[in-house]
Amino acid sequence: MRELNDFLSLIDSFIGSSAWFPYALLGTGLFFTIYLKFPQIRYFRFAFKVVKGKFDKEDDEGDTNHFQALTTALSGTVGTGNIAGVALAVHIGGPAAVFWMLMTAAVGMCTKFVEVTLSHKYREKTADGTMAGGPMYYMKNKLNMGWLAAIFAGATVLSSFGTGSLPQINSIADSLNATFGFDEMLVGGILAVLLGLVIIGGIKRIAAVTSRLVPAMALIYFVGAFAVIFYNIGNIVPSFVSIFADLFTGSAATGGFLGASIAFAFNKGVGRGLFSNEAGQGSAPIAHAAAKGHEPVSEGFVAILEPFIDTIVICTVTALVLLSSGVWNEKLNNEFDYTDMSIVQGLYTDATDEGKQELYGHISETNSLPLFNGSLNVVEGKIQDEVSIINARSLAEEVLISKEGNLINGAVNIIDGKPEDLLLVFEGKSLVHSAPLTAEAFTRSFFGESGKYIVSIGLLLFAFSTAISWSYYGDRAMTYLFGPKSVKYYRLVYVVAFFVASFADTTIIWTLSGITIAVMTLPNLFGILMLRKDMKQTIAEYWDGFKKEYPDEKTPE
């Protein structure tokens, strides 16, 4: 299993996690933004009219209305990335990373507009009477590249497990176990039954559930978030300033945060922004293709709102929670994750500029410190040797080592900065990131310690809604590949895998997910670029017809 994971990690390093991948996504969005003359700005207000159904017709074909399609797509994108992803971006790139997330979302609004319009335009009605669409259909019906469509559809099926199902329930089960002590298998079993009851009804039931679930989960999350923001109202202006202050210089060291370069802020901001709203991946167009409508462009307008709500609104609120509460650069008691930890030879300090530079050189891999190899002398859990422990990109303090709840006395073998015995527990003060950081931030509010429960509930709702939507994406991909009869078998496997992942190790799934996301995204970007002229012509035809049908309506051309 470890060899397979290493092999997948190698592949992922060349595509999903490679440095050029965010540039491909961002570059495509910038191209269409200029090519189509900033549609995300010109059509933004008009999109709300479309969502409200102002221009709908009774004979429009489809399975859902515009609002249901929007909430279904949003439930697939508004997930753990909005809670954990923002915290990770700030943890690595500093406050400036938030700016790049926002800029990426602004560009992503245009990418969503294009991919959804084209997918809706070339959708099909299946044998069971439901609508099926997505990038695979324009690849087949317009580009005549059935082979590319099959690759995309296959990657979508795999990604429905790697993105929508297994990691989501794993995060839910871990969170509820840590916060409330709920048994992971029990959590998985109950939610698997609920998931099955929802997805067995197809897109109409999925849309009915998500159209209620998305507003509810957003309301719960915003109540908790604004309780933090108003509690720390005096820090809001400095928080906004910090987002822009270090934009072209990199974030300076402050508190336990050792600093971040411009490249770190840019890469993490762009990466988290793109993966938060999934602009360019081709997943959301599958949901939008089911919407009722006689004009594909009108559904494209609806899609413009997705990155705005997902990233510009929700992620910005999360960022303000993290920055205004001050937890992002504060060392907190936590149990160290071996992947975030390294033991280096010598004693270092983050109390001086020289010490901070030495430590930053190590975490940025520009001037690595010598890793410790050998045996540590430990008394009552405390290390007696001259070593330093770096955890979560910070210098750890007050470290204690234990095993099975008992403090260690004796020798602890270390190989290349990592403990040989994987059952040892290292605890102490250091920076934290991802969901635990957001959970801590939510306690710095009017709700006090109870604030962390809002994060757990939010994570439950966000992640569960993501699993619901991705089941539909996989459903339509299976329909494309093997026909409608294959869907019931897919749903069965999806629900069973969802249950198993609640208590099983999903490390390999996370790695596979990075690959399948890239295999979905690259054909989709290629396809929409090939159809750029088709897109421009489709927009022009829409406005020509709109003027004739609604001569008194002001158009935002």
Side-chain angles (χ1 to χ4, degrees):
M1 185 66 73
R2 183 172 182 177
E3 289 76 10
L4 177 60
N5 191 51
D6 290 343
F7 176 69
L8 292 174
S9 296
L10 178 63
I11 297 175
D12 185 41
S13 67
F14 286 104
I15 46 177
S17 298
S18 60
W20 58 265
F21 189 57
Y23 289 96
L25 281 159
L26 197 60
T28 303
L30 280 171
F31 168 78
F32 276 109
T33 295
I34 297 170
Y35 183 70
L36 300 177
K37 300 176 182 177
F38 295 86
Q40 65 268 58
I41 297 175
R42 291 191 293 137
Y43 305 147
F44 183 76
R45 292 180 62 185
F46 188 79
F48 285 97
K49 296 181 180 180
V50 178
V51 171
K52 292 176 182 178
K54 183 174 182 178
F55 309 111
D56 289 353
K57 296 183 178 180
E58 290 186 7
D59 60 347
D60 284 345
E61 283 194 308
D63 306 313
T64 63
N65 59 39
H66 294 299
F67 179 73
Q68 289 175 326
L70 175 63
T71 54
T72 300
L74 273 173
S75 69
T77 58
V78 177
T80 55
N82 299 81
I83 294 176
V86 180
L88 181 62
V90 172
H91 169 75
I92 296 177
V98 178
F99 171 84
W100 294 113
M101 288 186 71
L102 300 180
M103 291 301 99
T104 300
V107 171
M109 291 165 70
C110 183
T111 307
K112 276 283 177 79
F113 171 59
V114 174
E115 61 183 352
V116 166
T117 298
L118 292 172
S119 294
H120 198 277
K121 181 177 181 178
Y122 294 106
R123 65 181 182 170
E124 295 179 357
K125 180 178 285 189
T126 65
D128 62 4
T130 58
M131 302 304 295
M136 56 273 202
Y137 286 93
Y138 73 66
M139 291 174 189
K140 182 190 74 169
N141 296 332
K142 182 62 177 178
L143 295 176
N144 297 315
M145 293 182 175
W147 60 272
L148 190 64
I151 290 174
F152 177 88
T156 302
V157 173
L158 291 175
S159 198
S160 70
F161 290 95
T163 299
S165 174
L166 310 190
Q168 302 299 333
I169 183 58
N170 197 257
S171 296
I172 293 172
D174 284 348
S175 176
L176 294 183
N177 178 264
T179 305
F180 301 103
F182 293 161
D183 182 77
E184 294 167 335
M185 190 176 293
L186 178 64
V187 170
I190 293 173
L191 292 181
V193 172
L194 292 175
L195 177 66
L197 291 174
V198 173
I199 69 176
I200 199 75
I203 184 59
K204 291 185 178 180
R205 188 178 297 173
I206 289 172
V209 171
T210 57
S211 65
R212 292 170 175 81
L213 186 59
V214 169
M217 69 189 193
L219 177 62
I220 292 170
Y221 189 70
F222 282 153
V223 167
F226 281 102
V228 179
I229 291 171
F230 288 123
Y231 186 79
N232 300 283
I233 194 70
N235 297 332
I236 293 301
V237 172
S239 296
F240 269 114
V241 171
S242 68
I243 293 173
F244 300 97
D246 301 325
L247 195 57
F248 301 108
T249 59
S251 296
T254 174
F257 181 72
L258 294 171
S261 65
I262 301 174
F264 265 111
F266 175 77
N267 288 335
K268 282 302 162 186
V270 170
R272 289 300 95 195
L274 289 168
F275 288 123
S276 173
N277 57 58
E278 296 176 10
Q281 186 176 340
S283 52
I286 300 173
H288 284 284
K292 295 177 182 178
H294 57 284
E295 289 287 352
V297 175
S298 64
E299 195 58 32
F301 293 149
V302 175
I304 287 174
L305 302 177
E306 270 182 56
F308 176 79
I309 296 171
D310 174 88
T311 307
I312 294 179
V313 175
I314 299 179
C315 287
T316 298
V317 168
T318 302
L320 288 176
V321 165
L322 296 168
L323 297 176
S324 66
S325 65
V327 298
W328 72 277
N329 64 356
E330 182 180 328
K331 294 181 183 180
L332 304 168
N333 281 314
N334 68 104
E335 183 177 310
F336 301 168
D337 188 326
Y338 284 2
T339 58
D340 288 336
M341 184 184 79
S342 62
I343 303 173
V344 298
Q345 296 178 15
L347 295 175
Y348 296 89
T349 178
D350 58 4
T352 66
D353 290 339
E354 182 181 358
K356 290 175 182 177
Q357 289 176 2
E358 288 179 313
L359 291 167
Y360 179 70
H362 181 78
I363 64 170
S364 63
E365 299 181 351
T366 57
N367 188 22
S368 297
L369 301 174
L371 295 175
F372 181 82
N373 279 283
S375 181
L376 291 175
N377 180 29
V378 180
V379 177
E380 290 296 314
K382 296 181 180 179
I383 300 172
Q384 305 300 305
D385 303 273
E386 292 190 349
V387 297
S388 297
I389 297 181
I390 298 173
N391 184 65
R393 298 173 58 82
S394 62
L395 181 66
E397 301 173 1
E398 302 175 19
V399 180
L400 292 175
I401 308 175
S402 62
K403 185 175 182 178
E404 297 178 349
N406 299 312
L407 294 175
I408 295 293
N409 281 287
V412 172
N413 292 327
I414 305 296
I415 301 174
D416 292 332
K418 305 284 186 183
E420 184 179 23
D421 186 350
L422 300 181
L423 296 179
L424 293 175
V425 175
F426 285 68
E427 293 180 89
K429 288 187 175 181
S430 74
L431 297 184
V432 296
H433 60 78
S434 301
L437 178 59
T438 308
E440 179 63 30
F442 268 64
T443 66
R444 312 293 176 89
S445 74
F446 295 110
F447 293 118
E449 287 298 314
S450 299
K452 64 183 179 182
Y453 298 128
I454 295 176
V455 174
S456 292
I457 295 170
L459 189 64
L460 164 64
L461 296 176
F462 283 22
F464 186 64
S465 68
T466 298
I468 292 173
S469 291
W470 271 93
S471 72
Y472 179 68
Y473 300 157
D475 172 320
R476 295 297 84 182
M478 287 293 292
T479 299
Y480 176 84
L481 291 169
F482 306 110
K485 292 183 179 180
S486 67
V487 171
K488 59 183 179 182
Y489 301 107
Y490 164 79
R491 289 173 180 165
L492 177 62
V493 174
Y494 190 85
V495 172
V496 171
F498 184 80
F499 166 67
V500 173
S502 65
F503 55 86
D505 182 10
T506 59
T507 302
I508 194 169
I509 298 300
W510 279 106
T511 308
L512 179 63
S513 175
I515 298 171
T516 55
I517 287 172
V519 177
M520 286 179 67
T521 303
L522 295 176
N524 184 47
L525 296 181
F526 170 78
I528 61 177
L529 286 169
M530 290 288 290
L531 295 175
R532 61 192 182 279
K533 293 182 179 178
D534 186 323
M535 181 66 196
K536 182 175 279 191
Q537 182 180 347
T538 302
I539 295 172
E541 291 173 351
Y542 173 83
W543 288 123
D544 286 344
F546 186 87
K547 290 175 184 176
K548 294 176 182 177
E549 192 166 358
Y550 303 97
D552 298 326
E553 188 77 32
K554 186 177 180 181
T555 60
E557 285 186 89

